[in-house]
Amino acid sequence: MGIKIDITSDIGNYTLTATLADNSSAKAFYELLQKSPVTVKMHDYGSFEKVGPLPQSLPRNDTKITTRSGDIILYQGNQITIYYDVNSWNFTKLGKVENVTQDGLKQILGKGNVTAVFSVGK
């Protein structure tokens, strides 16, 4: 799809850029972001991802995948996750954070809870 979105976190003063995947889930997420930015309170899960609830369910395109650092994943249709480590499961890939290392992503997302704002890229 090649569409860019921005992700800002309340940890530090960082804005991440991500490229959305080419599937109906990512398209629905983008349409949601075009209405207004989406704020998600995310918590650490399993020491490999941040996860939080979306304001509405999105269509699922689950396939067996192994995540990599920076993957943005839709889980169960109504949860969004940002991975900073590896996990294998049936997920829907929404996109990928660009130009950040695994350690950099961990630093930006911080330890514990974080509030992330997803918005249409500039």
Side-chain angles (χ1 to χ4, degrees), residues 102-116:
Q102 182 179 22
D103 288 340
L105 193 56
K106 285 181 180 180
Q107 181 180 12
I108 290 167
L109 295 176
K111 295 182 184 205
N113 297 338
V114 63
T115 299

Side-chain angles (χ1 to χ4, degrees), residues 71-108:
D71 282 346
I72 302 169
I73 301 292
L74 177 66
Y75 178 65
Q76 295 185 339
N78 62 359
Q79 302 284 315
I80 192 165
T81 61
I82 302 174
Y83 277 84
Y84 47 86
D85 216 329
V86 176
N87 187 27
S88 294
W89 199 258
N90 287 323
F91 296 124
T92 298
K93 188 168 183 175
L94 290 177
K96 175 90 173 164
V97 177
E98 301 175 346
N99 303 319
V100 65
T101 64
Q102 182 179 22
D103 288 340
L105 193 56
K106 285 181 180 180
Q107 181 180 12
I108 290 167

